[in-house]
Amino acid sequence: MPGFELWGAEERKEVNDVLETGILMRYGFDGPRKGIWKSKELEKAICETFGARYAQLTSSGTSALTTAMAALGIGAGDEIIMPSFTFVASFEAVLSVGAIPVLVDIDESLTLDPEAVRSAITHKTKCIMPVHMCGAMANLEALQDICNEHDFILLEDACQSIGASYKGKYVGTIGDAGTFSFDFVKTITCGEGGVVMTNNESVYKRSDEYSDHGHDHLGADRGADLHPYLGYNFRISELHAAVGLAQIRKLKKFLDIQKKNHEALKKILAQIPEITFRTIPDPAGDSCTFISWFLPTEEITRAVVAEMKAQNILGGNFYWYDNNWHYIRKWDHLKESASLNAFAPELKQSLIENANKDFTPSDAIMSRCISTSISLLWTEQQIQEKGEKMANVIKKILNESTVKRN
Ligand SMILES: Cc1ncc(COP(=O)(O)O)c(C=O)c1O
């Protein structure tokens, strides 16, 4: 997810505009800022690029999720159904509004299995939160159907999938709200930053207010703003927004390169019949930040990872099953509800029950999955060499496992 790989004069120019005025804050200081409003400009560009009616920038993808949940009225006692494979931020945001993360199994789309979602519904369910992992999308039609049947909120965590689309619409703009992260390793980056997108005016207005201490932003005098409700400081700075503005103008170029490089590498891996690939509900909408592929067994997958490490070619290949950030298996802090501040007793109990469920179907998928990140900087020759080295390792391990079996 490499926006930072193509960094240059465009980003510096936008940041310098802000440095010249010295107004680093997104609100107020109308005179001295001399018409420089990078955050507003980036919000407009996000709406135009992705087709969302409204966009509210925040300080991070995590705070965008928290803001969206608060703006959607999700709070104490509400259950949010979400996948067992995501980044820790997804459940952190749920907990930050006092709601309960109900983790459920994924399928080979690497995100929510609609049947697992149906089985997890209770009278407390308020929201379904698919996470569009590793650049591609969840089965949004099936999930939207469940939401429509039960009048649930659909909140898309699209933090990892900027530029992916589903049936002609960008992910993050399809549910009641959606979020992107612009942290340093995302498809386009602000350094740190995030956005809430929605087509609902009141969700937008609440996001705008909540992410700035509840300020109503109605007058020209910030000091005279009223506070219709409590909020927090999840503001983005003008410096970060300036970087994002330069990056969003390059998004199409980034996506075109990703798609080309993804296709070239996939062609090499696809020659090995034992490899299968992640299910993509709308292949044309894959943003192609990663290729996620499966081997026949956990044992073979572990051997391939070990051999790639031994040959010093593991960089950029992720075995999420052993990763501390992305999969339930390693989230001991969540399973133990290890928080610095005390949780309400009911929340703590529900959290522990939910995080310690059996995730055998997810294990069966994640233990065989490797995701290879796609670089914008690769040359055709480098892709060929990388692909061949990977393919040689995979074939070697597959051969050894056949010999062992016989
Ligand atoms: C799926 C997902 N959700 C949320 C986030 C949080 O974004 P941020 O790092 O901007 O807080 C991330 C970041 O990696 C993510 O991958």
Side-chain angles (χ1 to χ4, degrees):
M1 296 177 280
F4 70 85
E5 288 182 332
L6 290 180
W7 169 272
E10 304 82 358
E11 285 78 2
R12 283 195 292 278
K13 190 258 166 211
E14 295 300 324
V15 171
N16 277 335
D17 285 351
V18 177
L19 291 177
E20 272 166 30
T21 67
I23 306 302
L24 311 186
M25 187 181 181
R26 71 157 301 174
Y27 295 113
F29 303 92
D30 294 24
R33 69 169 61 242
K34 301 191 182 110
I36 302 289
W37 297 91
K38 298 296 179 189
S39 307
K40 281 190 190 179
E41 242 189 288
L42 179 54
E43 284 164 349
K44 187 162 173 277
I46 289 169
C47 290
E48 286 167 3
T49 304
F50 301 104
R53 204 166 293 159
Y54 305 102
Q56 176 63 41
L57 286 168
T58 59
S59 52
S60 67
T62 313
S63 62
L65 282 169
T66 299
T67 299
M69 288 173 199
L72 290 160
I74 296 166
D78 293 332
E79 292 183 350
I80 300 194
I81 299 180
M82 53 172 287
S84 58
F85 175 50
T86 178
F87 177 59
V88 291
S90 311
F91 63 71
E92 288 167 358
V94 177
L95 293 169
S96 77
V97 296
I100 302 160
V102 176
L103 297 147
V104 304
D105 279 314
I106 54 156
D107 57 23
E108 289 203 356
S109 71
L110 297 186
T111 186
L112 287 175
D113 172 359
E115 284 316 307
V117 170
R118 282 191 188 277
S119 306
I121 292 171
T122 73
H123 66 283
K124 292 187 192 165
T125 308
K126 176 121 179 193
C127 171
I128 297 179
M129 181 169 73
V131 184
H132 304 297
M133 282 300 277
C134 303
M137 74 301 301
N139 183 348
L140 281 174
E141 203 165 75
L143 298 172
Q144 183 76 73
D145 283 350
I146 301 173
C147 289
N148 293 345
E149 271 171 48
H150 296 271
D151 204 17
F152 294 153
I153 292 164
L154 182 67
L155 170 59
E156 296 174 76
D157 179 344
C159 285
Q160 287 200 5
S161 291
I162 300 170
S165 61
Y166 179 72
K167 301 198 173 172
K169 286 187 180 164
Y170 283 103
V171 300
T173 68
I174 297 167
D176 296 283
T179 61
F180 289 153
S181 161
F182 300 124
D183 75 22
F184 191 55
V185 290
K186 294 301 183 287
T187 307
I188 52 173
T189 184
C190 291
E192 297 286 358
V195 69
V196 179
M197 293 173 293
T198 180
N199 296 318
N200 179 317
E201 188 179 358
S202 71
V203 172
Y204 162 66
K205 189 168 179 310
R206 286 188 230 132
S207 298
D208 171 52
E209 292 164 343
Y210 185 82
S211 58
D212 185 25
H213 302 294
H215 275 263
D216 65 7
H217 296 148
L218 288 179
D221 176 3
R222 187 168 163 76
D225 277 352
L226 296 177
H227 301 91
Y229 34 71
L230 300 166
Y232 292 91
N233 176 3
F234 292 148
R235 293 187 304 262
I236 195 164
S237 82
E238 284 287 275
L239 289 171
H240 292 89
V243 174
L245 197 52
Q247 288 259 303
I248 200 169
R249 293 180 185 135
K250 300 177 178 179
L251 176 64
K252 185 174 174 325
K253 175 177 163 186
F254 292 174
L255 292 172
D256 288 347
I257 299 173
Q258 276 179 186
K259 284 182 188 181
K260 187 165 97 5
N261 292 354
H262 181 280
E263 197 181 318
L265 187 60
K266 188 171 176 185
K267 214 184 252 176
I268 301 171
L269 296 179
Q271 286 167 12
I272 302 175
E274 290 86 349
I275 290 183
T276 55
F277 294 92
R278 169 187 186 178
T279 308
I280 311 266
D282 178 4
D286 188 352
S287 75
C288 294
T289 51
F290 283 92
I291 300 179
S292 295
W293 43 286
F294 304 108
L295 287 159
T297 65
E298 175 179 346
E299 194 190 356
I300 292 172
T301 313
R302 284 194 177 281
V304 165
V305 170
E307 183 63 23
M308 287 206 285
K309 192 167 181 196
Q311 294 193 16
N312 210 16
I313 58 164
L314 188 62
N317 289 286
F318 295 88
Y319 185 49
W320 307 114
Y321 195 54
D322 281 351
N323 180 292
N324 290 339
W325 292 7
H326 287 88
Y327 184 55
I328 179 77
R329 197 166 87 89
K330 294 283 195 164
W331 293 337
D332 290 337
H333 62 322
L334 185 74
K335 294 181 198 176
E336 289 160 15
S337 175
S339 61
L340 288 179
N341 54 321
F343 283 148
E346 323 80 77
L347 173 61
K348 188 171 174 125
Q349 193 193 337
S350 301
L351 172 59
I352 291 174
E353 277 167 19
N354 272 294
N356 288 285
K357 284 184 309 203
D358 176 56
F359 290 98
T360 304
S362 302
D363 286 347
I365 293 165
M366 295 312 298
S367 62
R368 298 182 298 106
C369 177
I370 297 174
S371 297
T372 307
S373 66
I374 304 296
S375 171
L376 298 175
L377 302 177
W378 289 339
T379 62
E380 277 176 31
Q381 193 188 336
Q382 282 170 330
I383 298 172
Q384 195 61 32
E385 282 169 11
K386 181 181 178 71
E388 279 169 15
K389 281 185 191 161
M390 285 170 66
N392 287 340
V393 167
I394 297 161
K395 285 184 206 156
K396 173 174 182 272
I397 300 297
L398 286 167
N399 278 339
E400 285 171 5
S401 89
T402 314
V403 171
K404 232 198 284 176
R405 263 207 320 272
N406 294 337

